[in-house]
Amino acid sequence: SQQGEEDPQALSIQEGENATMNCSYKTSINNLQWYRQNSGRGLVHLILIRSNEREKHSGRLRVTLDTSKKSSSLLITASRAADTASYFCATAPSGTYKYIFGTGTRLKVLA
Amino acid sequence: DAGVIQSPRHEVTEMGQEVTLRCKLISGHNSLFWYRQTMMRGLELLIYFNNNVPIDDSGMPEDRFSAKMPNASFSTLKIQPSEPRDSAVYFCASSPQGALIDYGYTFGSGTRLTVV
C-alpha cells in the first residue's frame, strides 16, 4: 500500500500563479522529500524537510510539514511553464530507509 | 559527475526471455534502490542495498526477479523469465548515506522495458 498520497491528482494553472499540492502519509517519519518528474525522465530531488522542521524554503519552493496531521504541502510560487511536471512526496517509516513514493500530482502550467 | 547511469534506455523483449538491467552509482554513494513505475501502481520500491548488501527485498514481485550488487558502483536487476506484466519503467537511485538518510536520492533516467 502507498505510504504517501498526493492531492490533487492533477492541477492546471496559468503561468505566474501559485501551485499548491498536498501529501498525506501513514506512519511516523524521519523526513519527507519532494521530487519532480518530467515526462519520460527520472525523478529529481527538490527539497527535504526533517520531522522536527515545520517549514522550509528553496527558491520558489516552500514546503510545510505537520507531523500531527501526517501531512505536508508543497507551494510553487510564480509558476512557469517549465514547472509542468509530476510532483511526488516520499516518506519512510522512522528507523527505516524504505522510502515509498506517493501517487503524484500532475501539474500543468499554461503559458 | 555523470550521475546515476542506467542501461539500456529502452528494452523490448519477447515473453520468456531473460532481461538484465544495469545501473552505475555515483561515486561515493553507498545506498542503491531499484524502483518500478507503472501507470497502475505508480512507483514501487523493489529492493535496496546498503554497502553492497541487500537490506530489504520484500518489494521484489516474484522469484523471477533478482538483483545483485557485485561491487560498490554497479548493480543489476534481472528478470528471468520475463512476462508482459513486467512491462514498466525501471529506475535505480543512489544516495550517499545508508541510515537516517538526510539526502535525497539521485535517480537514473530509467529503463523502459516492454515485454511482448
Side-chain angles (χ1 to χ4, degrees), chain A residues 49-87:
Chain A
I49 185 167
R50 298 184 183 188
S51 60
N52 61 355
E53 297 176 312
R54 291 296 167 259
E55 188 171 312
K56 199 163 183 179
H57 296 255
S58 177
R60 293 184 296 113
L61 305 180
R62 172 177 168 257
V63 171
T64 63
L65 179 64
D66 187 335
T67 53
S68 66
K69 295 181 179 178
K70 291 186 171 57
S71 67
S72 173
S73 68
L74 171 67
L75 169 68
I76 304 173
T77 60
S79 63
R80 306 166 182 168
D83 295 328
T84 295
S86 291
Y87 292 81

Side-chain angles (χ1 to χ4, degrees), chain B residues 8-42:
Chain B
R9 287 297 309 275
H10 302 275
E11 177 81 30
V12 180
T13 190
E14 291 185 348
M15 182 173 62
Q17 296 296 307
E18 177 181 296
V19 175
T20 299
L21 311 181
R22 296 174 175 79
C23 175
K24 185 175 185 304
L25 284 70
I26 291 175
S27 177
H29 283 196
N30 61 354
S31 296
L32 182 281
F33 306 82
W34 281 101
Y35 284 86
R36 177 172 69 175
Q37 187 177 36
T38 61
M39 288 293 292
M40 291 294 294
R41 300 176 68 88

Side-chain angles (χ1 to χ4, degrees), chain B residues 39-113:
Chain B
M39 288 293 292
M40 291 294 294
R41 300 176 68 88
L43 273 158
E44 301 173 276
L45 176 63
L46 301 177
I47 185 171
Y48 69 89
F49 294 82
N50 190 41
N51 292 323
N52 305 359
V53 176
I55 303 300
D56 187 332
D57 65 355
S58 60
M60 297 285 262
E62 300 171 30
D63 291 344
R64 298 183 297 106
F65 286 69
S66 63
K68 293 182 180 180
M69 199 165 173
N71 58 56
S73 61
F74 184 72
S75 177
T76 60
L77 177 68
K78 185 178 293 186
I79 308 172
Q80 165 64 18
S82 58
E83 297 182 2
R85 59 193 168 122
D86 302 330
S87 298
V89 181
Y90 291 80
F91 290 102
C92 70
S94 69
S95 175
Q97 282 190 347
L100 297 176
I101 292 175
D102 280 340
Y103 300 91
Y105 296 170
T106 301
F107 276 79
S109 298
T111 294
R112 181 174 296 277
L113 173 65

